[in-house]
Amino acid sequence: MTDNTTRLDHVVLWVRDPVAAADFYEKALGMAPLRLTEFAAGTEPFPSVRLNDETIFDLMPLSMAERMKMLPGSVDSAGHPVNHVCLALPGDDFETLRARLEERAVPVSDISYDSFGARGLARRSFYFRDPDGNVFEARHYD
């Protein structure tokens, strides 16, 4: 993928049973499961399903809630239908966004490296909240 316009990368959904959720999304919605075998084997923390060529849904087990430490209070998102929304941007836009947030005193997380997403491993990512408390991840692949 060479088009680096801003787009939706992935949505993380809290689910009680990731295997059952993947089965539903595959069979009811026609979405292809990703990393399901690895999740079942215990080598990946959660499976995903592919929405389209560019977007996936991560199926996050509720049992992972206590490990959500990317921002203070992130654990409180458990029980809500969505954990966070991820935006994939070109590298320059990634830097610009982070600078804009910091200029406005919006707390941002540390930068993470090589996290899995819809297009494979993203080079860098970070998290922030909107004024309503919704958690967003910004990342870039280039």
Side-chain angles (χ1 to χ4, degrees):
M1 295 188 194
T2 57
D3 178 6
N4 280 326
T5 57
T6 301
R7 62 191 64 210
L8 183 65
D9 185 83
H10 68 274
V11 175
V12 178
L13 303 172
W14 287 114
V15 298
R16 289 183 303 277
D17 181 347
V19 174
D23 184 67
F24 168 80
Y25 283 102
E26 179 180 19
K27 292 182 176 150
L29 303 177
M31 300 171 84
L34 304 171
R35 306 182 332 154
L36 188 58
T37 303
E38 295 88 308
F39 170 77
T43 60
E44 291 295 341
F46 56 88
S48 305
V49 290
R50 184 161 295 285
L51 174 67
N52 58 38
D53 288 343
E54 301 175 348
T55 308
I56 61 174
F57 290 167
D58 291 334
L59 306 174
M60 185 69 66
L62 278 169
S63 61
M64 294 278 293
E66 292 187 19
R67 292 187 240 171
M68 296 293 117
K69 304 205 187 286
M70 71 284 277
L71 290 173
S74 292
V75 68
D76 296 339
S77 72
H80 297 274
V82 176
N83 172 271
H84 73 275
V85 175
C86 180
L87 303 173
L89 305 106
D92 290 343
D93 292 346
F94 175 90
E95 295 292 344
T96 300
L97 173 61
R98 189 170 175 91
R100 274 195 228 131
L101 293 168
E102 289 174 341
E103 286 169 8
R104 289 164 178 78
V106 174
V108 296
S109 72
D110 291 337
I111 291 180
S112 298
Y113 299 90
D114 298 324
S115 56
F116 178 78
R119 293 186 246 167
L121 295 179
R123 289 191 56 214
R124 298 181 302 160
S125 65
F126 69 89
Y127 294 85
F128 63 95
R129 289 182 190 273
D130 73 4
D132 293 302
N134 294 305
V135 177
F136 286 83
E137 177 184 356
R139 63 171 46 206
H140 75 95
Y141 289 95
D142 59 343

Coordinates of all heavy atoms in Angstrom, one line a residue, residues 87 89-100 111-112 123-126 137-140 142:
L87 N -5.6 5.5 14.0 CA -5.5 6.2 12.7 C -4.1 6.0 12.2 O -3.1 6.2 12.9 CB -5.7 7.7 12.9 CG -7.0 8.1 13.5 CD1 -7.0 9.6 13.8 CD2 -8.2 7.8 12.6
L89 N -1.3 7.2 9.6 CA -0.9 8.4 8.9 C 0.4 8.3 8.3 O 1.2 7.4 8.7 CB -0.8 9.6 9.9 CG -2.0 9.9 10.8 CD1 -1.8 9.4 12.2 CD2 -2.3 11.4 10.7
P90 N 0.8 9.1 7.3 CA 2.1 9.2 6.8 C 3.1 9.7 7.9 O 2.6 10.4 8.9 CB 2.1 10.2 5.7 CG 0.6 10.3 5.3 CD -0.1 10.0 6.6
G91 N 4.3 9.3 7.9 CA 5.3 9.7 8.9 C 5.3 11.1 9.3 O 5.4 11.5 10.4
D92 N 5.3 12.0 8.3 CA 5.3 13.5 8.5 C 4.1 13.9 9.3 O 4.2 14.7 10.2 CB 5.5 14.3 7.2 CG 6.9 14.1 6.6 OD1 7.8 13.7 7.3 OD2 7.0 14.4 5.4
D93 N 2.9 13.4 8.9 CA 1.7 13.7 9.5 C 1.6 13.2 11.0 O 1.1 13.8 11.9 CB 0.5 13.2 8.8 CG 0.3 13.9 7.4 OD1 0.9 15.0 7.2 OD2 -0.5 13.4 6.6
F94 N 2.3 12.1 11.2 CA 2.4 11.5 12.5 C 3.1 12.5 13.4 O 2.7 12.8 14.5 CB 3.1 10.2 12.4 CG 3.5 9.5 13.7 CD1 2.6 8.5 14.2 CD2 4.7 9.7 14.3 CE1 2.9 7.9 15.4 CE2 5.0 9.0 15.5 CZ 4.1 8.1 16.1
E95 N 4.2 13.0 13.0 CA 5.0 13.9 13.7 C 4.2 15.2 14.0 O 4.3 15.8 15.1 CB 6.3 14.3 13.0 CG 7.3 13.1 12.9 CD 7.9 12.6 14.2 OE1 7.8 13.4 15.2 OE2 8.4 11.5 14.2
T96 N 3.5 15.7 13.0 CA 2.8 16.9 13.1 C 1.6 16.8 14.1 O 1.4 17.7 14.9 CB 2.2 17.3 11.7 OG1 3.3 17.5 10.8 CG2 1.3 18.6 11.8
L97 N 0.9 15.6 14.0 CA -0.1 15.4 15.0 C 0.4 15.4 16.4 O -0.2 16.0 17.3 CB -0.8 14.1 14.7 CG -1.9 13.6 15.7 CD1 -3.0 14.6 15.8 CD2 -2.4 12.2 15.4
R98 N 1.5 14.7 16.6 CA 2.0 14.6 18.0 C 2.4 16.0 18.5 O 2.1 16.4 19.6 CB 3.2 13.6 18.0 CG 3.7 13.4 19.5 CD 4.7 12.2 19.5 NE 5.3 12.1 20.8 CZ 4.8 11.2 21.7 NH1 3.7 10.5 21.4 NH2 5.3 11.1 22.9
A99 N 3.0 16.8 17.6 CA 3.4 18.2 18.0 C 2.2 19.0 18.3 O 2.2 19.8 19.3 CB 4.2 18.8 16.9
R100 N 1.1 18.9 17.5 CA -0.1 19.6 17.8 C -0.7 19.3 19.1 O -1.2 20.1 19.9 CB -1.1 19.4 16.7 CG -1.0 20.3 15.5 CD -2.2 20.2 14.6 NE -1.8 20.0 13.3 CZ -2.3 19.0 12.4 NH1 -3.2 18.2 12.8 NH2 -1.9 18.9 11.2
I111 N 6.1 6.5 22.7 CA 6.1 5.9 21.4 C 6.4 4.4 21.5 O 7.3 4.0 22.2 CB 7.0 6.6 20.4 CG1 6.5 8.0 20.2 CG2 7.2 5.8 19.2 CD1 7.3 8.9 19.2
S112 N 5.5 3.6 20.9 CA 5.7 2.2 20.8 C 6.3 1.9 19.4 O 6.0 2.6 18.4 CB 4.4 1.4 20.9 OG 3.9 1.7 22.2
R123 N 5.8 1.1 12.2 CA 7.1 1.5 12.7 C 7.0 2.2 14.1 O 7.7 1.8 15.0 CB 7.8 2.5 11.7 CG 8.2 1.8 10.4 CD 9.1 2.7 9.6 NE 10.2 3.2 10.3 CZ 10.8 4.4 10.1 NH1 10.3 5.2 9.2 NH2 11.8 4.7 10.8
R124 N 6.0 3.1 14.2 CA 5.8 3.8 15.5 C 4.4 4.1 15.7 O 3.6 4.2 14.8 CB 6.6 5.1 15.5 CG 8.1 5.0 15.4 CD 8.8 6.3 15.4 NE 8.3 7.2 14.4 CZ 8.4 8.5 14.4 NH1 9.0 9.1 15.4 NH2 7.9 9.2 13.4
S125 N 4.0 4.2 17.0 CA 2.6 4.6 17.4 C 2.6 5.2 18.7 O 3.6 5.1 19.5 CB 1.7 3.4 17.3 OG 2.1 2.4 18.3
F126 N 1.5 6.0 19.0 CA 1.3 6.5 20.4 C -0.2 6.7 20.6 O -0.9 6.6 19.6 CB 2.1 7.9 20.5 CG 1.5 9.0 19.7 CD1 0.5 9.8 20.2 CD2 2.0 9.3 18.5 CE1 0.0 10.9 19.5 CE2 1.5 10.3 17.7 CZ 0.5 11.1 18.2
E137 N -5.2 5.9 18.9 CA -3.9 5.5 18.6 C -3.5 6.2 17.3 O -4.3 6.1 16.3 CB -3.7 4.0 18.5 CG -2.3 3.6 18.2 CD -2.1 2.1 18.0 OE1 -3.1 1.3 18.2 OE2 -1.0 1.6 17.6
A138 N -2.4 6.8 17.2 CA -1.8 7.3 15.9 C -0.6 6.4 15.6 O 0.2 6.1 16.4 CB -1.5 8.7 16.0
R139 N -0.5 6.0 14.3 CA 0.6 5.2 13.9 C 1.0 5.5 12.5 O 0.3 6.2 11.7 CB 0.3 3.7 14.0 CG -0.8 3.3 13.1 CD -1.0 1.8 13.1 NE -1.0 1.2 14.4 CZ -0.7 -0.1 14.6 NH1 -0.4 -0.9 13.7 NH2 -0.7 -0.5 15.8
H140 N 2.2 5.1 12.1 CA 2.7 5.2 10.7 C 3.5 3.9 10.4 O 4.1 3.3 11.2 CB 3.4 6.5 10.4 CG 4.8 6.5 10.9 ND1 5.9 6.1 10.1 CD2 5.3 6.8 12.1 CE1 7.0 6.3 10.9 NE2 6.7 6.7 12.1
D142 N 5.3 3.9 7.2 CA 6.5 4.2 6.3 C 7.7 4.7 7.1 O 7.6 4.9 8.3 CB 6.1 5.3 5.4 CG 5.6 6.6 6.0 OD1 5.3 6.6 7.2 OD2 5.5 7.6 5.3

